Amino acid sequence: MTDTTEITVRIPSKVSGKKLEITLPRCMFGFSIKNKIIDGIVEQEAATIIFALPTLSGFPNDEEAIHRCPDFSKPVTGLGFAPLFPKPYAKKLEPGNYWLKQESYQYTLKEKKNNQELYSIGIGGKQTLFVNKSETNQQDFKIDFWPFDAENESSPFPHQIDIHSILDKEFNVIYTVYSSRFLHGKYKPPVSQNYFADGLIQIYKQNESLLDHPEIQLGFIQNNNRILDYIHQHSKVVD
């Protein structure tokens, strides 16, 4: 798909009359457009923007890749957008950490130290760290990951780290950060580079805790800020 005609996708909020408008070349929406495009605008509940695989993982990659049509003959990844949902029967979203308040039944406190909390979620050892908005971090987000399993070294799970972030208080942004195992050739960092996704895997191989490694958390924060900056350049919220 190489159609560079710009279109605007509108995603309605679930708690107000606001809509998230994202304007990009048609090709970057991949096959997520389900409705008919009228005068360059389409409205639907959610959308995904497709990029070359390394683009969302903070690698020293081709910086122009995020502005070009994806090459579907090579590995790609998606940046998903959807509205945040209020609790049943609620008419507004609670401020602060959305996921813990919305889906607290899924999370069990696993560890607490250094003024942070690490949670277990669901089954299979999956864990979550909530990162609150601060002077360093543009927005609340959460890191979902599976710690390294020495008995199943071929598992892809530790190498695919799911990130959920918030955009303009009412919309969810979802993407995956990949370890260097999935990125080849010029995209693979040198061994000397402290790549945060690889670092997360290494600390669990060494039976350490993410809560003791603020430098790895900072890597995720900086990567999330970079992605939010890109989104803000190509989107706006309208009433």
Side-chain angles (χ1 to χ4, degrees), residues 8-12 19-22 41-46 238:
T8 297
V9 176
R10 290 176 176 166
I11 301 174
K19 297 178 182 179
L20 174 63
E21 286 192 350
I22 307 168
I41 297 175
V42 60
E43 184 171 309
Q44 57 186 46
E45 289 190 1
V238 297

Side-chain angles (χ1 to χ4, degrees), residues 31-50:
F31 304 100
S32 69
I33 302 302
K34 306 298 182 182
N35 301 319
K36 185 177 180 180
I37 301 171
I38 301 175
D39 295 330
I41 297 175
V42 60
E43 184 171 309
Q44 57 186 46
E45 289 190 1
T48 300
I49 301 172
I50 304 298

Side-chain angles (χ1 to χ4, degrees), residues 15-212:
V15 294
S16 74
K18 295 180 179 178
K19 297 178 182 179
L20 174 63
E21 286 192 350
I22 307 168
T23 302
L24 286 166
R26 170 70 181 86
C27 59
M28 299 188 75
F29 289 99
F31 304 100
S32 69
I33 302 302
K34 306 298 182 182
N35 301 319
K36 185 177 180 180
I37 301 171
I38 301 175
D39 295 330
I41 297 175
V42 60
E43 184 171 309
Q44 57 186 46
E45 289 190 1
T48 300
I49 301 172
I50 304 298
F51 302 102
L53 184 63
T55 306
L56 304 183
S57 296
F59 274 74
N61 53 38
D62 180 354
E63 294 182 0
E64 288 302 314
I66 203 167
H67 301 290
R68 292 199 302 261
C69 293
D71 182 351
F72 285 95
S73 69
K74 299 178 180 179
V76 296
T77 187
L79 180 62
F81 298 88
L84 295 176
F85 286 77
K87 289 182 178 179
Y89 310 111
K91 295 183 179 180
K92 61 181 181 179
L93 298 167
E94 296 184 47
N97 198 307
Y98 166 79
W99 303 278
L100 189 57
K101 293 178 179 178
Q102 177 74 6
E103 304 169 343
S104 58
Y105 63 91
Q106 293 191 32
Y107 302 103
T108 303
L109 183 64
K110 175 180 175 61
E111 185 180 9
K112 184 175 182 178
K113 64 167 68 172
N114 300 327
N115 295 317
Q116 298 177 94
E117 297 176 345
L118 184 67
Y119 291 82
S120 298
I121 176 175
I123 60 175
K126 189 175 182 181
Q127 297 180 18
T128 291
L129 176 70
F130 297 103
V131 183
N132 295 324
K133 184 177 180 179
S134 67
E135 292 182 0
T136 305
N137 177 32
Q138 288 184 21
Q139 192 50 264
D140 287 358
F141 73 98
K142 70 182 181 114
I143 305 170
D144 287 350
F145 63 97
W146 287 264
F148 179 79
D149 182 358
E151 296 182 359
N152 186 15
E153 294 188 18
S154 62
S155 171
F157 290 133
H159 302 272
Q160 300 179 23
I161 305 160
D162 297 328
I163 308 296
H164 294 247
S165 191
I166 290 176
L167 188 67
D168 294 297
K169 299 181 179 180
E170 298 181 17
F171 301 92
N172 196 12
V173 180
I174 308 166
Y175 61 94
T176 300
V177 169
Y178 293 88
S179 79
S180 58
R181 168 176 163 179
F182 284 85
L183 304 164
H184 309 287
K186 66 179 180 180
Y187 297 119
K188 190 170 184 177
V191 175
S192 61
Q193 181 177 325
N194 183 22
Y195 176 52
F196 61 93
D198 290 348
L200 176 59
I201 297 168
Q202 289 301 315
I203 65 172
Y204 279 94
K205 283 185 178 181
Q206 300 165 12
N207 293 317
E208 299 180 47
S209 171
L210 177 59
L211 301 186
D212 291 327

